[in-house]
Amino acid sequence: MQKTKRVTAIAAFVCCVLTALAGGKDTFVQPGDTLPSFCIEMADGSRQTTQALKGRPVVLAFFNTNCLDCRRELPLLQRLHDEAGEAYRVVCVSRSQGHDEIAAYWQKTGLTLPYSPQADRAVYSLFAPHGLPRVYVADGDGVVQAVFIEKVSARKLRKAIGQCMKD
């Protein structure tokens, strides 16, 4: 078991190095781009589309509860969600993680953020090839204003949201 983990870790590292050497992008969606078109089912059974997210700023966060950086970021996203009111939305989309596992984590940690469980990487792959957590801040027209990869501070995220609300 230990040997399998080591081989997997080495393979992942080699893949990252080869991607970097090949000039691979860290993100397909850059500031200034329009959010890709998607339709997701939320945990509560409702559906969200790219079109439905327009009208006010949105913080779109990709996560997996097994990711330590994601675990550190989710409470920040929860605070933003609690502060948002009707000013902006916070929507979380899992990468390769189903409803039961996420629901258990949400209950254990007291999170109430809206999330969409995604058993695969279909929606995620519209945005990026790799890396979590990943946060996109888009204005009310669906234009991405900021992208945060792996680490995001409350100050920078609030600044990006504030900028979207000024426009």
Side-chain angles (χ1 to χ4, degrees), residues 4-125:
T4 303
K5 286 182 181 178
R6 191 174 317 134
V7 169
T8 302
I10 291 170
F13 175 75
V14 169
C15 182
C16 288
V17 169
L18 291 175
T19 300
L21 291 174
K25 286 182 163 183
D26 283 338
T27 187
F28 300 140
V29 178
Q30 304 282 337
D33 294 344
T34 301
L35 288 171
S37 181
F38 62 85
C39 178
I40 53 177
E41 183 172 339
M42 302 301 290
D44 66 5
S46 66
R47 294 200 179 273
Q48 284 286 350
T49 64
T50 307
Q51 190 62 31
L53 291 174
K54 291 182 180 179
R56 57 185 162 149
V58 64
V59 176
L60 184 65
F62 290 94
F63 73 96
N64 185 296
T65 62
N66 296 313
C67 163
L68 294 179
D69 287 333
C70 296
R71 288 180 176 199
R72 283 190 287 275
E73 182 181 90
L74 286 167
L76 165 60
L77 294 170
Q78 179 68 55
R79 285 192 301 278
L80 291 173
H81 171 70
D82 294 344
E83 295 168 5
E86 294 298 315
Y88 60 91
R89 287 174 262 207
V90 178
V91 177
C92 296
V93 179
S94 74
R95 184 189 79 178
S96 304
Q97 196 169 27
H99 175 73
D100 292 345
E101 191 175 358
I102 299 168
Y105 185 81
W106 252 233
Q107 183 174 16
K108 177 178 127 186
T109 58
L111 295 172
T112 61
L113 288 159
Y115 69 88
S116 173
Q118 301 287 310
D120 58 23
R121 293 179 178 221
V123 177
Y124 175 84
S125 67

Side-chain angles (χ1 to χ4, degrees), residues 98-155:
H99 175 73
D100 292 345
E101 191 175 358
I102 299 168
Y105 185 81
W106 252 233
Q107 183 174 16
K108 177 178 127 186
T109 58
L111 295 172
T112 61
L113 288 159
Y115 69 88
S116 173
Q118 301 287 310
D120 58 23
R121 293 179 178 221
V123 177
Y124 175 84
S125 67
L126 298 172
F127 288 82
H130 55 80
L132 286 175
R134 185 171 288 278
V135 178
Y136 298 84
V137 179
D139 64 20
D141 295 324
V143 177
V144 175
Q145 300 299 318
V147 178
F148 300 95
I149 303 169
E150 295 179 2
K151 293 185 181 178
V152 60
S153 71
R155 184 182 61 77

